Structure formats: C-alpha cells, structure tokens
Amino acid sequence: MSKEVILEVKDLSKTFSNQTVQQHVLKNLNLKVYKGDYTVIMGNSGSGKSTLLYALSGMDRPTMGQIVHHAGGEPLNISEFNNDKLAMFRRKNCGFVFQQNYLNDTMSALDNVMISGLLVNKNRKKLAKRSKELLQEVELYEDDWKKFPTQLSGGQQQRVAVIRGVINNPNILFADEPTGALNSQNTENVMEIMTNLNEKGQSIIMVTHTIKAAERGNRIIYLADGVITDEIELGPYMGDYRDESNPNQQIAKERHQKLKDFLQEMGW
C-alpha cells in the first residue's frame, strides 16, 4: 500500500544575494514527504538544513520552485500565497519546535500553550481541556501549569514548547534542533515525547546534527551543499540499542548500525 503524500517540493531553490555575491543555499530540490513519517534532515553545518525546513513550513520563501502541501486533501501551493494567507496557513497546518523554546516569560506554562491554540480555536473551555490533557501526557501537572517559564527547568520548558507546537493538531510538526540546548537526560525525554506523538500519527520533519536524535526517525534525508545527496529508510524506532532489557535490542542495534554506515558514506 502506497503512502499518502502530504508535502511535495518541486524544483526548489533558495539564493541569498548581496551587492557582490550570490549564495545558492538550496539548489533545484525535489522531495515528497509522507503522512505519518518521522522525516529527519541531516547534513554538515552550512548544508542548508534549516533553510529547507523554513521553506517547507512557509516561514521563509524560496527563490524558485513550488512547495505544495496536501492539507485536508486539497493541494495548496504555498509558494504563491501572500503573507497574510501564508500566516493563516501556518497557524492551521504547521506546528513548530525550535532549539530555543521562545516561551513568553510573562505568561504561565498553560497560557503559553493556550495562546497559540486561541489563534485557531476560539472555544476557550475546550482548548483549556485539551491543553491540560496534553501537558499531563508529558508529565507536567497542575502545579506546573501555573508556573512561569523561568520557574521551570530547561527540559520542562521544552516540553511546554512541544505541546504548544501540536495544540492545533498540525498537519506537520516542524522541529529545528529541538534538543540542541538540552542536557542528555532532557534530550532523551523530549525525543521520547516526539516519538510518542509520531506513533499516534503525527507527521514530523526534524533537522538535527546528532545520530541519537536522528535514529528516532524512520526516514533520513541527507543534504550537502544545498542538494539532497541520498536518503535511507530505517523503519520504525525500536528503542535504545544499548538497553539490555529492550526486547528488540538486536533489531535496534542493526538499525543503529545501518544509520551509522549511511552517515559515514555521506561523509558526515
């Protein structure tokens, strides 16, 4: 059974120019993203990873090419949208998680989630219920809801940021180095949350520079000098390959080695 395409990129290019130099960051890319996939974009520094992510999500505009989202079954070429229409599209169809959490320090954790939800859903009672349920799922409870971001740990803040990213049931959750500012334990916690979201059907596109985060994905796309050089399909995440209690440890080890070999072949 073929997968459902939710995002298609056709002849995508992005060029930054000043008076004397043109920098071709993305070069004639073609790509399809599938519903329910956990797609990971990797590449060395300066390869165009974040630029691609921002173009796919409508946060930045390509110089040339088409970005077609299949949201609600209708193909939408967001490359043709004006700024207002693009902003409305992002609110309804895209969720975002960044390396920095960008929480509002003057608002509680709960309000940080709800303010994003209110941009789409004006039913405050239903939105509050959903926000609290999602926060509980990531082990943030009533005492935490009332706290300001500065009263939460870095890992807790990023969990709030992830929930804010999915509060509107986005077609795709876009994540740019979501664990880049976290310690190892908080990294593991946030990655587990995103894996759980994906297992429930959330489509994710994530940029990362670490193999530990990348192995959470089922599809790895490698970018070099603005060009997609290759990709690999890993299948579903099978747990930590180092965990002796993992019943799928051998499969997880083989999967990890497959990713490691692929990245070495790419020159990573």
Side-chain angles (χ1 to χ4, degrees):
M1 185 176 177
S2 60
K3 292 183 177 181
E4 179 183 344
V5 176
I6 57 169
L7 173 59
E8 188 170 5
V9 175
K10 302 176 182 178
D11 303 321
L12 180 69
S13 295
K14 178 67 178 182
T15 302
F16 294 104
S17 303
N18 59 31
Q19 292 181 342
T20 58
V21 178
Q22 283 193 333
Q23 183 182 8
H24 302 287
V25 181
L26 301 176
K27 305 169 186 175
N28 199 39
L29 300 187
N30 291 279
L31 173 67
K32 290 181 179 178
V33 177
Y34 301 98
K35 186 175 182 179
D37 271 7
Y38 195 145
T39 304
V40 176
I41 302 171
M42 297 192 76
N44 290 323
S45 179
S47 60
K49 303 185 299 296
S50 293
T51 301
L52 176 58
L53 190 80
Y54 296 151
L56 296 180
S57 64
M59 291 188 68
D60 193 13
R61 291 186 180 275
T63 305
M64 295 180 62
Q66 297 182 10
I67 301 167
V68 180
H69 282 253
H70 297 263
E74 180 184 358
L76 301 171
N77 182 3
I78 66 170
S79 315
E80 299 176 345
F81 287 4
N82 62 31
N83 289 340
D84 289 343
K85 191 172 182 181
L86 195 57
M88 185 60 67
F89 170 83
R90 287 196 304 266
R91 288 179 191 173
K92 293 183 177 180
N93 296 284
C94 303
F96 300 93
V97 185
F98 303 98
Q99 182 172 336
Q100 303 300 323
N101 58 66
Y102 296 118
L103 299 177
N104 188 325
D105 287 339
T106 66
M107 301 174 69
S108 69
L110 179 60
D111 286 343
N112 264 283
V113 173
M114 287 189 62
I115 194 67
S116 292
L118 286 168
L119 294 172
V120 174
N121 181 1
K122 301 303 182 185
N123 189 321
R124 181 177 287 272
K125 185 176 180 180
K126 287 185 178 180
L127 180 61
K129 182 175 183 292
R130 172 169 163 76
S131 299
K132 292 172 183 178
E133 288 172 349
L134 288 172
L135 288 168
Q136 285 178 325
E137 286 182 15
V138 299
E139 299 182 359
L140 290 170
Y141 302 106
E142 189 167 355
D143 287 345
D144 299 314
W145 304 342
K146 303 171 185 176
K147 292 179 180 178
F148 296 105
T150 53
Q151 298 173 302
L152 300 171
S153 70
Q156 288 175 319
Q157 290 176 34
Q158 194 67 328
R159 279 183 265 166
V160 173
V162 172
I163 296 308
R164 179 187 59 190
V166 297
I167 189 62
N168 291 324
N169 293 307
N171 200 36
I172 302 174
L173 177 64
F174 294 90
D176 188 10
E177 302 280 10
T179 61
L182 302 178
N183 63 29
S184 58
Q185 185 56 58
N186 284 325
T187 291
E188 192 67 24
N189 292 340
V190 170
M191 284 293 96
E192 191 64 23
I193 290 166
M194 293 184 65
T195 296
N196 291 338
L197 287 168
N198 179 246
E199 288 175 347
K200 293 176 182 178
Q202 178 64 62
S203 304
I204 298 173
I205 302 177
M206 179 179 72
V207 164
T208 185
H209 68 280
T210 71
I211 190 169
K212 190 170 184 180
E215 63 187 3
R216 294 285 180 154
N218 65 282
R219 181 189 183 195
I220 314 298
I221 294 169
Y222 198 86
L223 206 64
D225 297 323
V227 176
I228 295 173
T229 55
D230 207 349
E231 65 174 82
I232 189 171
E233 174 63 46
L234 295 176
Y237 179 64
M238 303 303 291
D240 191 342
Y241 71 94
R242 299 161 300 182
D243 183 359
E244 297 292 338
S245 66
N246 179 3
N248 298 308
Q249 186 186 28
Q250 185 56 42
I251 300 173
K253 282 182 177 180
E254 293 170 359
R255 188 179 182 277
H256 173 80
Q257 189 62 49
K258 184 178 180 182
L259 174 57
K260 187 176 178 181
D261 290 345
F262 170 75
L263 292 175
Q264 287 178 342
E265 185 180 342
M266 293 295 101
W268 180 79

